[in-house]
Amino acid sequence: MLETHDLTVRFGGHTAVDAVSCRFHTGELTAIVGPNGAGKTTFFNLVSGQVFPTSGRVTLSGADISRLSPAARTRRGIGRGFQQTNLFPGLTVTENVRLAVQARQRKGGRLLRLAQSDKQMGRETDALLSDVRLERMGRRLAAELSHGEQRMLEVALLMALQPSVYMFDEPTAGMSAEEAPLVLGLIDALRRDASKSILLVEHKLDVIRSLADRIVVLHNGKLVAQGAPDEVMGLKIVQDAYMGQDLVNV
Amino acid sequence: MIRILSGDKPGSRFLSLILFGVLIALAFAPFLFDGTRALDTAARICILIVLAASFDLLLGYAGIVSFAHTMFFGLGAYGVALACLNLERGFGALAVGTAAGAGAAAVLALVIGLFSLRVRAIFFAMITLAVASAVAVLVSQLSYITGGEDGLTYRIPRELTAAVRYGEVPEFALTADWVLGGQRITGKIANYYLVFGAALALLLLMLRIVNSPFGRVLQAIRENDYRAEAIGYSVVRYRIAISVLSAVIAALAGSLFAIWLRYVGPDTTLSFELMIDILLMVVIGGMGTIYGAVIGAVLLVLAQSFLRDVMSSAAEATAQLPVLPQLLDPDRWLLWLGLLFVLSVYFFPTGVVGKLRQLRQRRTQSD
């Protein structure tokens, strides 16, 4: 189980995340919502290690991981997807995914083997590309893909890591109407795995309603509400301040 | 053949032809070209290919800018020189010197990496520049060990010198005037083949490294270190590992240089000019390709060795014309060399190898 304990980070005089304590259980998908600037991505950065907390702790299965590097946290089982497409643009689509598979299998230190010689890794890479319907794009450079395709590749990279905690940061942003359901289907399949926790930052309330088991609401870096979707969305404070008109429209 | 190249095809037919030509020319240099100058040029090319390719591991594959590469080259060279001076003459001294130089380079690269590869690229470059300058000054000052500015001359195993004669190459007449072979096979030629064989083995090793899982991680770090870290690769560890590897290979190249030249001095192994030459070789040949180092080293060494001669002939040929003979005066060879480099970087920003691969790709796409 992933937990944050009074997690706080300050940038100069600004407190971006303010004493947030949460539990993310396995077998559960938690949506993290809030208006722009609420601190959702900073909270993600704190959990995945891109930013170190000013105070407070992050624990995974009881172990304090607050001071571990992002790479060390990934090796412990925290997989992070990014809001902005964050790939290896000069490498091929296959190489992008293969690098993530290789990282999970901890084979990056092999010096004298050929990168392509591991057939099992090749098959797994192909399967992942097929899952996100990029199987025909394998030889193209990541930079040559459309924005939607790059987002799909981003998801494939995260899936390749097979973490125990998946962190999706607006995974369907910029995707076409055909691509988004595919990714949501993949997330839904992961949700059914009782050994995984999923954290999802998402603005689309229909997506949250269909996928989330629990919702955490952040505003100005503070945790203002958490609980079951119906319960949280029904709260007046959430309707007034955080969902605004969107909630009415859904 | 592709297996030997670790599956890394040159990526252009023309490039393959050039590389094959270079390989043949270097493999048979003692028998194809007359005179010690030609053999010396061929040996220099072999050594500089290794040195430039090891720098490409850093710059082209890992995106690390270092100015300390010649320092590691120098460590390898001084290792052999000091071992030859202080140990009994023989191959044992060469082996000890080579191992000591490579070991010292590994330790120094590890220390520099541990202290400075966490900082930004530009600061790392500055730190390496400072360390390299300090070592160059140290070598000049510690003259009782290093020979100071005069450098060191020493004896290598007799089997690798011209004093030993192994036999003669049988003559083979292609035409009445064109006869191949007939050369004496001396220890100098054995020395050349030691340099050539070691350089070829190191080049193939580097090709294997860049096409290994480790090499892919380096490319990922160059492309996006933030993401590489996020998928579980400890960027600092990989950067340190490649710095150490690259330093060891540069030191081995330095050892070969010392074995070939039988002299080491700060000017030939530690100078900033040599560092600039390596940088030019990698940039002109094409960064992140290894083959670029081959092309860059051949072009630069040939230009440095023969541009004067070419200009001298051109000046004579244009003696009747105004201005041109003065412009082509052999004393102005550095001006022309500089101009050639500026033009090549301007027209081939991805290097010769990059340009040839682009042309090939464009042709494939249009087909």
mmCIF file of all heavy atoms in Angstrom, chain A residues 77-104:
data_model
loop_
_atom_site.group_PDB
_atom_site.id
_atom_site.type_symbol
_atom_site.label_atom_id
_atom_site.label_comp_id
_atom_site.label_asym_id
_atom_site.label_seq_id
_atom_site.Cartn_x
_atom_site.Cartn_y
_atom_site.Cartn_z
ATOM 1 N N GLY A 77 8.668 -0.264 -7.557
ATOM 2 C CA GLY A 77 7.317 -0.582 -8.031
ATOM 3 C C GLY A 77 6.399 0.601 -8.258
ATOM 4 O O GLY A 77 5.192 0.427 -8.377
ATOM 5 N N ILE A 78 6.971 1.806 -8.317
ATOM 6 C CA ILE A 78 6.121 2.968 -8.613
ATOM 7 C C ILE A 78 6.347 3.366 -10.068
ATOM 8 O O ILE A 78 7.456 3.740 -10.457
ATOM 9 C CB ILE A 78 6.450 4.143 -7.666
ATOM 10 C CG1 ILE A 78 5.996 3.750 -6.257
ATOM 11 C CG2 ILE A 78 5.763 5.426 -8.123
ATOM 12 C CD1 ILE A 78 6.152 4.798 -5.227
ATOM 13 N N GLY A 79 5.334 3.271 -10.881
ATOM 14 C CA GLY A 79 5.441 3.596 -12.314
ATOM 15 C C GLY A 79 4.702 4.885 -12.593
ATOM 16 O O GLY A 79 3.540 5.028 -12.218
ATOM 17 N N ARG A 80 5.378 5.806 -13.258
ATOM 18 C CA ARG A 80 4.813 7.136 -13.454
ATOM 19 C C ARG A 80 4.653 7.439 -14.937
ATOM 20 O O ARG A 80 5.594 7.301 -15.712
ATOM 21 C CB ARG A 80 5.774 8.146 -12.797
ATOM 22 C CG ARG A 80 5.639 9.595 -13.240
ATOM 23 C CD ARG A 80 4.585 10.287 -12.419
ATOM 24 N NE ARG A 80 4.243 11.589 -12.980
ATOM 25 C CZ ARG A 80 4.778 12.749 -12.620
ATOM 26 N NH1 ARG A 80 5.734 12.767 -11.714
ATOM 27 N NH2 ARG A 80 4.368 13.883 -13.160
ATOM 28 N N GLY A 81 3.452 7.848 -15.311
ATOM 29 C CA GLY A 81 3.235 8.373 -16.661
ATOM 30 C C GLY A 81 3.193 9.884 -16.573
ATOM 31 O O GLY A 81 2.923 10.426 -15.495
ATOM 32 N N PHE A 82 3.478 10.549 -17.690
ATOM 33 C CA PHE A 82 3.593 12.007 -17.631
ATOM 34 C C PHE A 82 2.484 12.703 -18.399
ATOM 35 O O PHE A 82 1.988 12.191 -19.413
ATOM 36 C CB PHE A 82 4.960 12.443 -18.165
ATOM 37 C CG PHE A 82 6.081 12.077 -17.239
ATOM 38 C CD1 PHE A 82 6.661 10.815 -17.297
ATOM 39 C CD2 PHE A 82 6.529 12.960 -16.285
ATOM 40 C CE1 PHE A 82 7.677 10.454 -16.430
ATOM 41 C CE2 PHE A 82 7.544 12.613 -15.404
ATOM 42 C CZ PHE A 82 8.115 11.361 -15.483
ATOM 43 N N GLN A 83 2.152 13.905 -17.914
ATOM 44 C CA GLN A 83 1.104 14.706 -18.544
ATOM 45 C C GLN A 83 1.596 15.215 -19.900
ATOM 46 O O GLN A 83 0.909 15.103 -20.901
ATOM 47 C CB GLN A 83 0.778 15.877 -17.613
ATOM 48 C CG GLN A 83 -0.425 16.671 -18.014
ATOM 49 C CD GLN A 83 -0.652 17.832 -17.031
ATOM 50 O OE1 GLN A 83 0.083 18.033 -16.082
ATOM 51 N NE2 GLN A 83 -1.686 18.587 -17.279
ATOM 52 N N GLN A 84 2.826 15.765 -19.897
ATOM 53 C CA GLN A 84 3.447 16.182 -21.157
ATOM 54 C C GLN A 84 4.151 14.950 -21.719
ATOM 55 O O GLN A 84 4.797 14.225 -20.967
ATOM 56 C CB GLN A 84 4.495 17.276 -20.917
ATOM 57 C CG GLN A 84 3.961 18.515 -20.222
ATOM 58 C CD GLN A 84 2.972 19.266 -21.073
ATOM 59 O OE1 GLN A 84 3.073 19.257 -22.295
ATOM 60 N NE2 GLN A 84 1.983 19.885 -20.444
ATOM 61 N N THR A 85 4.008 14.736 -23.012
ATOM 62 C CA THR A 85 4.648 13.569 -23.612
ATOM 63 C C THR A 85 6.144 13.607 -23.317
ATOM 64 O O THR A 85 6.796 14.619 -23.526
ATOM 65 C CB THR A 85 4.391 13.566 -25.129
ATOM 66 O OG1 THR A 85 2.997 13.629 -25.295
ATOM 67 C CG2 THR A 85 4.920 12.315 -25.760
ATOM 68 N N ASN A 86 6.652 12.518 -22.809
ATOM 69 C CA ASN A 86 8.007 12.488 -22.278
ATOM 70 C C ASN A 86 8.672 11.187 -22.726
ATOM 71 O O ASN A 86 8.711 10.218 -21.988
ATOM 72 C CB ASN A 86 7.884 12.552 -20.750
ATOM 73 C CG ASN A 86 9.130 13.085 -20.108
ATOM 74 O OD1 ASN A 86 10.177 13.158 -20.744
ATOM 75 N ND2 ASN A 86 9.042 13.448 -18.849
ATOM 76 N N LEU A 87 9.143 11.194 -23.970
ATOM 77 C CA LEU A 87 9.652 9.956 -24.570
ATOM 78 C C LEU A 87 11.125 10.111 -24.933
ATOM 79 O O LEU A 87 11.764 11.086 -24.572
ATOM 80 C CB LEU A 87 8.831 9.640 -25.829
ATOM 81 C CG LEU A 87 7.325 9.496 -25.620
ATOM 82 C CD1 LEU A 87 6.596 9.589 -26.939
ATOM 83 C CD2 LEU A 87 7.015 8.170 -24.934
ATOM 84 N N PHE A 88 11.636 9.138 -25.681
ATOM 85 C CA PHE A 88 12.990 9.226 -26.228
ATOM 86 C C PHE A 88 12.826 9.497 -27.725
ATOM 87 O O PHE A 88 12.741 8.565 -28.530
ATOM 88 C CB PHE A 88 13.754 7.920 -25.979
ATOM 89 C CG PHE A 88 13.751 7.515 -24.536
ATOM 90 C CD1 PHE A 88 13.036 6.416 -24.093
ATOM 91 C CD2 PHE A 88 14.449 8.267 -23.592
ATOM 92 C CE1 PHE A 88 13.014 6.061 -22.755
ATOM 93 C CE2 PHE A 88 14.438 7.909 -22.247
ATOM 94 C CZ PHE A 88 13.718 6.810 -21.829
ATOM 95 N N PRO A 89 12.754 10.771 -28.097
ATOM 96 C CA PRO A 89 12.296 11.126 -29.444
ATOM 97 C C PRO A 89 13.174 10.600 -30.579
ATOM 98 O O PRO A 89 12.669 10.283 -31.652
ATOM 99 C CB PRO A 89 12.278 12.659 -29.437
ATOM 100 C CG PRO A 89 13.133 13.061 -28.290
ATOM 101 C CD PRO A 89 13.032 11.970 -27.288
ATOM 102 N N GLY A 90 14.478 10.493 -30.347
ATOM 103 C CA GLY A 90 15.381 10.066 -31.414
ATOM 104 C C GLY A 90 15.510 8.556 -31.537
ATOM 105 O O GLY A 90 16.249 8.058 -32.385
ATOM 106 N N LEU A 91 14.803 7.811 -30.685
ATOM 107 C CA LEU A 91 14.842 6.346 -30.765
ATOM 108 C C LEU A 91 13.536 5.853 -31.386
ATOM 109 O O LEU A 91 12.520 6.555 -31.367
ATOM 110 C CB LEU A 91 15.028 5.736 -29.383
ATOM 111 C CG LEU A 91 16.277 6.178 -28.607
ATOM 112 C CD1 LEU A 91 16.384 5.415 -27.291
ATOM 113 C CD2 LEU A 91 17.538 5.948 -29.417
ATOM 114 N N THR A 92 13.559 4.639 -31.896
ATOM 115 C CA THR A 92 12.352 4.126 -32.533
ATOM 116 C C THR A 92 11.297 3.791 -31.472
ATOM 117 O O THR A 92 11.607 3.682 -30.285
ATOM 118 C CB THR A 92 12.645 2.850 -33.352
ATOM 119 O OG1 THR A 92 13.029 1.820 -32.436
ATOM 120 C CG2 THR A 92 13.730 3.067 -34.382
ATOM 121 N N VAL A 93 10.082 3.608 -31.952
ATOM 122 C CA VAL A 93 8.970 3.271 -31.068
ATOM 123 C C VAL A 93 9.286 1.967 -30.322
ATOM 124 O O VAL A 93 9.119 1.862 -29.102
ATOM 125 C CB VAL A 93 7.680 3.145 -31.913
ATOM 126 C CG1 VAL A 93 6.548 2.559 -31.100
ATOM 127 C CG2 VAL A 93 7.287 4.514 -32.467
ATOM 128 N N THR A 94 9.788 0.976 -31.058
ATOM 129 C CA THR A 94 10.147 -0.302 -30.438
ATOM 130 C C THR A 94 11.214 -0.109 -29.369
ATOM 131 O O THR A 94 11.113 -0.653 -28.264
ATOM 132 C CB THR A 94 10.654 -1.294 -31.506
ATOM 133 O OG1 THR A 94 9.614 -1.502 -32.436
ATOM 134 C CG2 THR A 94 11.071 -2.615 -30.905
ATOM 135 N N GLU A 95 12.235 0.685 -29.702
ATOM 136 C CA GLU A 95 13.319 0.893 -28.735
ATOM 137 C C GLU A 95 12.806 1.581 -27.470
ATOM 138 O O GLU A 95 13.257 1.273 -26.362
ATOM 139 C CB GLU A 95 14.443 1.723 -29.367
ATOM 140 C CG GLU A 95 15.335 0.903 -30.269
ATOM 141 C CD GLU A 95 16.269 1.745 -31.125
ATOM 142 O OE1 GLU A 95 16.026 2.966 -31.256
ATOM 143 O OE2 GLU A 95 17.206 1.180 -31.692
ATOM 144 N N ASN A 96 11.860 2.504 -27.639
ATOM 145 C CA ASN A 96 11.282 3.181 -26.473
ATOM 146 C C ASN A 96 10.680 2.171 -25.506
ATOM 147 O O ASN A 96 10.979 2.180 -24.312
ATOM 148 C CB ASN A 96 10.194 4.165 -26.921
ATOM 149 C CG ASN A 96 10.722 5.571 -27.140
ATOM 150 O OD1 ASN A 96 10.642 6.399 -26.248
ATOM 151 N ND2 ASN A 96 11.264 5.824 -28.313
ATOM 152 N N VAL A 97 9.839 1.288 -26.046
ATOM 153 C CA VAL A 97 9.150 0.323 -25.179
ATOM 154 C C VAL A 97 10.145 -0.704 -24.642
ATOM 155 O O VAL A 97 10.117 -1.076 -23.467
ATOM 156 C CB VAL A 97 8.002 -0.369 -25.943
ATOM 157 C CG1 VAL A 97 7.312 -1.406 -25.063
ATOM 158 C CG2 VAL A 97 6.989 0.661 -26.417
ATOM 159 N N ARG A 98 11.028 -1.121 -25.517
ATOM 160 C CA ARG A 98 12.013 -2.130 -25.118
ATOM 161 C C ARG A 98 12.875 -1.642 -23.954
ATOM 162 O O ARG A 98 13.225 -2.405 -23.053
ATOM 163 C CB ARG A 98 12.897 -2.438 -26.339
ATOM 164 C CG ARG A 98 13.599 -3.740 -26.241
ATOM 165 C CD ARG A 98 14.503 -3.948 -27.440
ATOM 166 N NE ARG A 98 15.196 -5.184 -27.258
ATOM 167 C CZ ARG A 98 14.837 -6.339 -27.799
ATOM 168 N NH1 ARG A 98 13.820 -6.396 -28.606
ATOM 169 N NH2 ARG A 98 15.502 -7.434 -27.560
ATOM 170 N N LEU A 99 13.202 -0.350 -23.982
ATOM 171 C CA LEU A 99 14.000 0.220 -22.892
ATOM 172 C C LEU A 99 13.268 0.090 -21.557
ATOM 173 O O LEU A 99 13.887 -0.168 -20.524
ATOM 174 C CB LEU A 99 14.289 1.697 -23.173
ATOM 175 C CG LEU A 99 15.534 1.958 -24.006
ATOM 176 C CD1 LEU A 99 15.500 3.345 -24.612
ATOM 177 C CD2 LEU A 99 16.782 1.801 -23.137
ATOM 178 N N ALA A 100 11.956 0.277 -21.599
ATOM 179 C CA ALA A 100 11.177 0.165 -20.358
ATOM 180 C C ALA A 100 11.109 -1.294 -19.897
ATOM 181 O O ALA A 100 11.262 -1.586 -18.708
ATOM 182 C CB ALA A 100 9.780 0.733 -20.571
ATOM 183 N N VAL A 101 10.938 -2.209 -20.848
ATOM 184 C CA VAL A 101 10.910 -3.646 -20.496
ATOM 185 C C VAL A 101 12.271 -4.041 -19.907
ATOM 186 O O VAL A 101 12.358 -4.715 -18.871
ATOM 187 C CB VAL A 101 10.592 -4.515 -21.745
ATOM 188 C CG1 VAL A 101 10.660 -5.994 -21.395
ATOM 189 C CG2 VAL A 101 9.236 -4.159 -22.327
ATOM 190 N N GLN A 102 13.317 -3.579 -20.575
ATOM 191 C CA GLN A 102 14.681 -3.878 -20.143
ATOM 192 C C GLN A 102 14.951 -3.317 -18.740
ATOM 193 O O GLN A 102 15.609 -3.964 -17.922
ATOM 194 C CB GLN A 102 15.626 -3.234 -21.162
ATOM 195 C CG GLN A 102 17.095 -3.443 -20.931
ATOM 196 C CD GLN A 102 17.902 -2.743 -21.997
ATOM 197 O OE1 GLN A 102 17.942 -3.179 -23.138
ATOM 198 N NE2 GLN A 102 18.536 -1.643 -21.644
ATOM 199 N N ALA A 103 14.410 -2.119 -18.471
ATOM 200 C CA ALA A 103 14.592 -1.515 -17.145
ATOM 201 C C ALA A 103 13.928 -2.391 -16.083
ATOM 202 O O ALA A 103 14.507 -2.637 -15.025
ATOM 203 C CB ALA A 103 13.995 -0.113 -17.123
ATOM 204 N N ARG A 104 12.721 -2.854 -16.391
ATOM 205 C CA ARG A 104 12.012 -3.694 -15.423
ATOM 206 C C ARG A 104 12.774 -4.989 -15.163
ATOM 207 O O ARG A 104 12.872 -5.460 -14.040
ATOM 208 C CB ARG A 104 10.608 -4.014 -15.947
ATOM 209 C CG ARG A 104 9.720 -4.628 -14.876
ATOM 210 C CD ARG A 104 8.494 -5.241 -15.474
ATOM 211 N NE ARG A 104 8.757 -6.528 -16.056
ATOM 212 C CZ ARG A 104 8.461 -6.867 -17.310
ATOM 213 N NH1 ARG A 104 7.907 -6.006 -18.137
ATOM 214 N NH2 ARG A 104 8.727 -8.072 -17.756
#
